[in-house]
Amino acid sequence: MTVRREVTGVLALAVTGGALLLVAEPVLGLVVLAGAGAAALLRPRARAAVAAVVLLVGLAVLAVAWDRGSAVLAVGGVLVVTAAAAATVRSGRWPPPRRRPEPSGGEPSARDTWDALDRGEDPTA
């Protein structure tokens, strides 16, 4: 399994679990979805830390599901726990997010921005 497929699969599991939780317990669903989004944007160590927090939230969801007897919460909790456990263990091997460089080879400096404004150009275009 390639890294890209693994990352996509884990994120899909987390988002599916979060969507199910949005139906049954909106606050927990939002926490899971925010954690999945943050984990996708962070560097490996921070990603593993966020995944561990989401894993704890998933375990809390399972406890709430057990207490309420809710099948929707239980399924969402299992999906979240599975995705978060996989991300906690394997996210260190995932590549860090990359910034796309500008075509000119780098980001413009403050001086370049002011020069563009002096010429009457829009530096944000």
Side-chain angles (χ1 to χ4, degrees):
M1 178 182 256
T2 66
V3 172
R4 175 171 264 174
R5 288 179 117 180
E6 181 180 325
V7 172
T8 304
V10 168
L11 287 175
L13 272 178
V15 169
T16 303
L20 280 173
L21 293 179
L22 276 176
V23 172
E25 197 66 39
V27 172
L28 293 174
L30 288 174
V31 168
V32 168
L33 291 175
L41 299 174
L42 295 173
R43 298 217 177 267
R45 282 191 183 150
R47 185 183 299 145
V50 169
V53 170
V54 172
L55 177 64
L56 293 174
V57 170
L59 292 172
V61 167
L62 287 176
V64 170
W66 178 265
D67 187 47
R68 290 187 188 171
S70 172
V72 172
L73 273 176
V75 171
V78 167
L79 291 173
V80 169
V81 166
T82 304
T88 301
V89 172
R90 301 183 60 93
S91 67
R93 290 178 269 201
W94 297 348
R98 285 176 265 166
R99 298 178 91 191
R100 296 183 195 265
E102 289 204 3
S104 64
E107 294 196 22
S109 67
R111 182 71 187 159
D112 295 334
T113 303
W114 284 111
D115 288 343
L117 287 171
D118 288 341
R119 289 189 302 269
E121 299 172 1
D122 182 6
T124 61

